[in-house]
Amino acid sequence: MKHEIYIVGMGPGREEDMTQEALTVLDSCDVIVGYTVYLNLLGERFLGKTFLSTPMRQEVERCRMCYEEAKKGKRVALICSGDAGIYGMASLMYEMSAEYPSCELTVVPGITAASSGAAVLGAPLNHDFCVISLSDLLTPWEQIKARLRAAVLGDFAIALYNPSSRKRADYLQRACDILLDAGAKGTRACGYVENIGRDGETAHTCTLQELREIQVNMFTTVFIGNSQSVIMGDKLVTKRGYQIGAGARARAKERG
Ligand code: SAH
């Protein structure tokens, strides 16, 4: 029999933001492995389970822990925030899987911060968009810069993950400067959401020029509109191109 390991995306934080499949899988597991912050978010529903953790930045050890527990005959879930396959642990688990042929991996999708944050802001990603992480821990800054420039060239709306940390306090400002240098206007509509689906959730809209002056923290997802995005009240909207303005004008003309 294969040893089963589930790699579970838990969404932004609240239980109601988890999928039914994620809840069912976690209910069925003996051991839940994850970063402490996410284990704490799981709340009382799973108190009967064995919770195992490793500190931040010890991702390889955390994954190994899953395999070792599974080999002992435990049914194991590895939880990640959002979606486990979007800047999560899913790929690392697959990279290590050759060492553990008796184990079988299943990925359970979750709502990623781009989706949950977009919902708070309205509809900032309602056309072609891309997702870029500003963390240069695992990606050279030159590559991040090239991707930011390419996003402007393709006129994509952008969701920025990992926009800042204590050591990278000026990264969002640097990213804004790259976007401006690549041709995005300072008036470009933007927004950011902090603590999506968690206590202290807050959302703001602003222009790209204003965004470069703002200090965000690591629990924030930043949204850069495309060249057609607009701020409507406190919402950020990227239109799909339905010509409702033109349609209304045409109907008015028909009516005379
Ligand atoms: N797997 C996660 C992303 C992990 S990378 C997902 O799919 O959502 C970590 C980054 O994700 C953070 O720096 C932040 O930019 C974003 N993020 C994840 N959860 C968030 C939340 N609840 N609120 C705001 N941003 C969040």
Side-chain angles (χ1 to χ4, degrees):
M1 205 191 81
K2 286 270 189 184
H3 295 119
E4 290 172 275
I5 303 176
Y6 294 87
I7 307 162
V8 181
M10 61 180 288
R14 279 186 304 240
E15 187 174 313
E16 58 260 47
D17 288 333
M18 290 175 72
T19 66
Q20 198 61 54
E21 187 188 9
L23 289 168
T24 307
V25 162
L26 291 183
D27 273 332
S28 77
C29 284
D30 310 300
V31 176
I32 303 180
V33 180
Y35 177 46
T36 333
V37 173
Y38 305 144
L39 291 176
N40 290 341
L41 279 172
L42 276 184
E44 292 182 5
R45 175 170 174 151
F46 302 103
L47 276 185
K49 311 288 177 188
T50 304
F51 280 11
L52 296 177
S53 187
T54 62
M56 201 153 99
R57 307 283 294 274
Q58 296 197 8
E59 284 83 10
V60 176
E61 291 76 3
R62 204 177 306 152
C63 290
R64 205 166 289 289
M65 194 180 247
C66 294
Y67 283 113
E68 295 302 333
E69 288 297 311
K71 275 172 62 181
K72 288 183 206 162
K74 307 277 190 205
R75 214 170 137 93
V76 179
L78 170 63
I79 54 158
C80 299
S81 75
D83 185 287
I86 298 179
Y87 309 119
M89 297 283 89
S91 56
L92 180 55
M93 285 295 285
Y94 277 99
E95 285 179 61
M96 293 168 71
S97 62
E99 295 174 51
Y100 300 94
S102 71
C103 295
E104 187 171 66
L105 303 179
T106 304
V107 179
V108 179
I111 304 177
T112 190
S115 277
S116 52
V120 176
L121 275 176
L125 304 179
N126 216 352
H127 208 299
D128 297 338
F129 72 96
C130 63
V131 173
I132 301 175
S133 165
L134 294 190
S135 169
D136 60 356
L137 287 175
L138 303 171
T139 308
W141 181 253
E142 280 307 308
Q143 196 162 32
I144 297 171
K145 190 173 167 183
R147 287 176 178 156
L148 288 166
R149 294 188 69 89
V152 175
L153 201 66
D155 199 16
F156 287 96
I158 311 169
L160 289 179
Y161 284 54
N162 298 302
S164 179
S165 74
R166 243 169 296 153
K167 284 199 190 130
R168 301 183 288 111
D170 65 337
Y171 275 33
L172 179 58
Q173 188 176 61
R174 284 164 65 175
C176 290
D177 287 342
I178 292 164
L179 298 172
L180 289 164
D181 184 64
K185 286 199 180 130
T187 52
R188 174 82 61 109
C190 297
Y192 53 98
V193 192
E194 193 182 330
N195 293 319
I196 304 161
R198 300 180 187 166
D199 289 344
E201 179 184 277
T202 47
H204 300 272
T205 57
C206 59
T207 65
L208 182 55
Q209 195 61 44
E210 287 163 349
L211 186 65
R212 77 178 290 289
E213 307 295 337
I214 289 164
Q215 189 60 60
V216 296
N217 62 27
M218 62 186 289
F219 301 109
T220 306
T221 301
V222 174
F223 295 82
I224 317 275
N226 69 17
S227 63
Q228 305 304 309
S229 301
V230 289
I231 292 172
M232 299 172 66
D234 61 351
K235 301 296 177 192
L236 175 61
V237 177
T238 299
K239 300 175 191 172
R240 276 204 70 193
Y242 297 108
Q243 301 288 333
I244 54 162
R249 276 195 298 279
R251 283 193 295 278
K253 207 172 164 189
E254 269 170 31
R255 286 196 298 271

